């Protein structure tokens, strides 16, 4: 049995869509107004686009789907479609393209948004798959928030003084609960067929049998990861997969990205500020190979995607799969660290109101969590509304991440949401927790 979904009456959907679109645009404005124009047009890493590309791409996708596909309107700027097609030009090439300059990109995105809000006001939320329950509006809000997270990654990669500020998470007492939780074996409902704005790779809901397993109560912390480093983790081949060992050796990787050793202490650079690595925070900016090696060193393993979702959604008392670990209600600041409210993870063990029925904490927010699973379609998968969102990425090249990070907005984060990346990626806001086989 799956969880009940969000309200689907037209006015509630209209209000929800307007709030999601507005929240995303406010965040986009913050991320693109806190630096000068040269910083917007520069490429701060070959892994990332110039910020001005993301800005115009956000507007172009909104025009493609809300103005053209939903409203049937003519193209506003058909000549720029190719420039902002993510599959036509790799990120490393985008600075050489004739991109819209910042002022023009802002004007274009604003004009698209004004017209899109007119479309929203007149949409009946029925009749086509794109308009049913406001799906297209939710998809565009999620798309913009995903690019906001990408732009935040670019801000982390840029050099120079801090351009963004945010309050730190509230202090939390040291976590004294159990180190791991037993998740009983048996079936549960994975994925969703009823969440109105769920994307194609989250669908359909299906029964999944999962043997009993133990999973860490909290994500792995910086202190725990430092113990791995101190024990020669990066110098001991047996902890690494052959591909992982080759990768860290080829790139001289000795610690998480942005860390450095100085005066007998570990320091990190975080959004233009150099600071001591906080021991109680979840470790951040590690690739899949590093997470996998740590788990082997600890005598454990990474959880499968199904194990992660069962730990996050399954309520053994009712047999239901809920939308979030704490139930079916949308996240609040008491539940999780989301939405760029802070620019760092909260200490491990924070947010007791957000724990799962079995007592697992911080499954949503703080850090994306690597799993052992490759990105694969669910049984009965159907690509919608375009194959390039998910289908072209299926296969062993991409590893699944779950749970979201402090950089993820609630509209793009739920118990069924699936993220993926190459196992070498470290610039993303990625951490992990470990698991081990359990008793029957």
């Amino acid at each position: 049995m799956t969880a009940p979904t969000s309200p689907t009456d037209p006015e509630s959907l209209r209000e929800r869509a307007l709030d999601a679109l507005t929240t995303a645009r406010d965040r986009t404005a913050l991320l693109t107004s806190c630096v000068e124009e040269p910083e917007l047009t520069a490429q701060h890493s070959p892994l990332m686009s110039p910020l001005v590309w993301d800005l115009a791409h956000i507007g172009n996708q909104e025009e493609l789907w809300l103005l053209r596909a939903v409203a049937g309107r003519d193209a506003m700027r058909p000549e720029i479609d190719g420039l902002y097609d993510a599959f036509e030009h790799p990120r490393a090439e985008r600075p050489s393209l004739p991109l819209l300059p910042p002022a023009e990109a802002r004007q274009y995105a604003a004009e698209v948004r004004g017209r899109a809000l007119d479309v929203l006001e007149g949409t009946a939320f029925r009749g086509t798959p794109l308009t049913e329950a406001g799906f297209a509006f939710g998809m565009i809000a999620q798309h913009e928030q995903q690019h906001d997270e990408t732009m935040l990654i670019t801000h982390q990669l840029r050099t120079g003084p801090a351009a963004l500020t945010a309050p730190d998470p509230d202090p939390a007492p040291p976590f004294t609960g159990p180190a791991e939780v037993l998740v009983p074996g048996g079936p549960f409902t994975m994925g969703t067929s009823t969440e109105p704005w769920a994307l194609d790779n989250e669908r359909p809901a299906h029964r999944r049998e999962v043997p009993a397993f133990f999973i860490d109560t909290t994500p792995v912390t910086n202190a725990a990861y430092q113990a791995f480093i101190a024990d020669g983790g990066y110098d001991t081949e047996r902890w690494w997969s052959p591909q992982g060992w080759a990768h860290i050796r080829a790139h001289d990787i000795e610690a998480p990205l942005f860390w450095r050793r100085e005066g007998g202490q570990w320091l990190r650079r975080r959004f233009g500020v150099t600071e001591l690595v906080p021991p109680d925070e979840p470790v951040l900016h590690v690739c899949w190979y590093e997470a996998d090696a740590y788990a082997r060193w600890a005598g454990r393993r990474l959880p499968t995607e199904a194990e992660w979702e069962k730990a996050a959604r399954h309520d053994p008392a009712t047999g239901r799969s809920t939308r979030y670990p704490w139930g079916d209600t949308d996240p609040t600041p008491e539940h999780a660290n989301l939405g760029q409210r802070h620019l760092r993870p909260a200490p491990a063990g924070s947010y007791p109101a957000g724990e799962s029925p079995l007592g697992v904490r911080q499954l949503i927010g703080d850090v994306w969590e690597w799993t052992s699973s490759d990105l694969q379609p669910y049984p009965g998968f159907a690509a919608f509304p375009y194959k390039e969102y998910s289908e072209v990425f299926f296969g062993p090249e991409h590893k699944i991440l779950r749970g979201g990070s402090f950089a993820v907005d609630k509209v793009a984060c739920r118990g069924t949401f699936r993220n993926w990346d190459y196992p070498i990626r470290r610039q993303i806001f990625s951490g992990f927790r470990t698991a081990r086989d359990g008793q029957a």
Side-chain angles (χ1 to χ4, degrees):
M1 181 177 179
T2 57
T5 60
S6 305
T8 55
D9 63 280
E11 289 315 306
S12 294
L13 282 168
R14 208 176 320 276
E15 182 178 344
R16 183 185 180 210
L18 178 60
D19 178 69
L21 291 168
T22 301
T23 299
R25 188 52 49 89
D26 288 346
R27 186 177 176 195
T28 300
L30 171 65
L31 290 162
T32 55
S33 65
C34 63
V35 292
E36 300 296 328
E37 182 168 321
E39 297 260 33
L40 293 176
T41 56
Q43 185 172 48
H44 298 280
S45 165
L47 295 173
M48 311 305 291
S49 307
L51 292 168
V52 74
W53 185 92
D54 288 287
L55 175 59
H57 171 76
I58 285 167
N60 187 244
Q61 287 294 294
E62 188 165 326
E63 185 197 345
L64 286 171
W65 290 104
L66 300 188
L67 302 188
R68 300 188 208 176
V70 171
R73 298 185 182 181
D74 292 337
M76 292 170 55
R77 300 282 300 268
E79 75 280 5
I80 69 171
D81 286 353
L83 297 176
Y84 298 103
D85 185 333
F87 286 88
E88 191 167 327
H89 301 287
R91 287 176 174 175
E93 296 179 3
R94 291 171 189 170
S96 64
L97 300 174
L99 303 176
L100 299 181
E104 193 172 348
R106 286 193 183 96
Q107 182 179 0
Y108 168 64
E111 187 174 351
V112 170
R113 173 52 57 89
R115 298 183 186 189
L117 295 182
D118 290 340
V119 174
L120 174 62
E121 186 63 29
T123 297
F125 302 118
R126 63 179 183 273
T128 71
L130 277 178
T131 57
E132 186 68 34
F135 174 82
F137 299 94
M139 178 183 73
I140 288 301
Q142 290 175 85
H143 173 266
E144 182 162 355
Q145 286 285 3
Q146 287 170 315
H147 276 271
D148 288 340
E149 182 178 9
T150 298
M151 288 193 284
L152 190 62
I153 292 169
T154 301
H155 274 278
Q156 168 65 2
L157 287 163
R158 65 178 281 276
T159 58
L164 294 166
T165 60
D168 287 342
D170 291 335
F175 180 67
T176 57
E180 63 179 3
V181 168
L182 174 65
V183 180
F188 85 107
T189 299
M190 187 171 185
T192 180
S193 297
T194 55
E195 184 74 32
W197 293 355
L199 304 170
D200 59 3
N201 61 69
E202 300 171 66
R203 300 172 181 269
H206 58 286
R207 178 186 170 99
R208 189 68 68 95
E209 190 79 28
V210 178
F213 66 98
F214 288 91
I215 192 167
D216 289 340
T217 308
T218 71
V220 171
T221 65
N222 289 321
Y225 200 84
Q226 286 174 22
F228 167 67
I229 298 174
D231 196 41
Y234 281 90
D235 301 313
T236 308
E237 184 175 358
R238 76 173 186 266
W239 305 133
W240 299 82
S241 68
Q243 299 90 340
W245 183 248
H247 178 70
I248 66 157
R249 281 300 181 225
H251 297 276
D252 295 321
I253 296 172
E254 299 178 338
L257 188 60
F258 308 115
W259 285 30
R260 75 172 191 267
R261 188 82 168 163
E262 187 175 296
Q265 295 179 309
W266 283 107
L267 305 179
R268 72 177 181 187
R269 180 170 59 82
R270 182 179 60 85
F271 298 107
V273 175
T274 298
E275 62 190 12
L276 288 172
V277 172
D280 57 350
E281 280 187 14
V283 67
L284 190 62
H285 296 302
V286 290
C287 70
W288 185 90
Y289 292 131
E290 291 169 291
D292 177 61
Y294 173 94
R296 294 169 190 249
W297 170 81
R300 298 169 69 82
R301 58 177 174 79
L302 295 179
T304 67
E305 181 185 19
E307 287 174 336
W308 189 98
E309 186 168 325
K310 185 171 185 180
R313 300 185 62 216
H314 180 65
D315 184 348
T318 64
R320 290 183 55 241
S321 287
T322 55
R323 296 176 69 211
Y324 299 97
W326 55 86
D328 300 327
T329 58
D330 286 341
T332 70
E334 287 69 44
H335 291 123
N337 181 7
L338 293 167
Q340 200 180 309
R341 191 170 67 250
H342 311 295
L343 289 172
R344 64 196 307 158
S350 297
Y351 306 107
E355 70 179 21
S356 75
L358 291 170
V360 188
R361 294 197 181 184
Q362 289 170 288
L363 286 156
I364 297 294
D366 285 306
V367 294
W368 285 107
E369 298 183 15
W370 289 109
T371 73
S372 64
S373 300
D374 301 334
L375 176 64
Q376 298 290 354
Y378 290 158
F381 168 84
F384 175 77
Y386 57 105
K387 291 184 178 181
E388 289 80 7
Y389 182 75
S390 301
E391 188 171 319
V392 297
F393 298 103
F394 291 151
E397 295 85 6
H398 295 92
K399 292 294 185 181
I400 287 283
L401 301 107
R402 286 302 206 102
S405 72
F406 65 87
V408 175
D409 185 78
K410 65 182 182 180
V411 76
C413 184
R414 49 194 162 264
T416 57
F417 194 92
R418 307 172 80 195
N419 190 12
W420 60 91
D421 215 324
Y422 293 111
I424 64 172
R425 290 292 186 247
R426 307 204 305 158
Q427 81 278 13
I428 59 177
F429 300 113
S430 52
F432 64 99
R433 70 181 74 216
T434 67
R436 66 182 175 94
D437 295 346
Q439 58 200 35

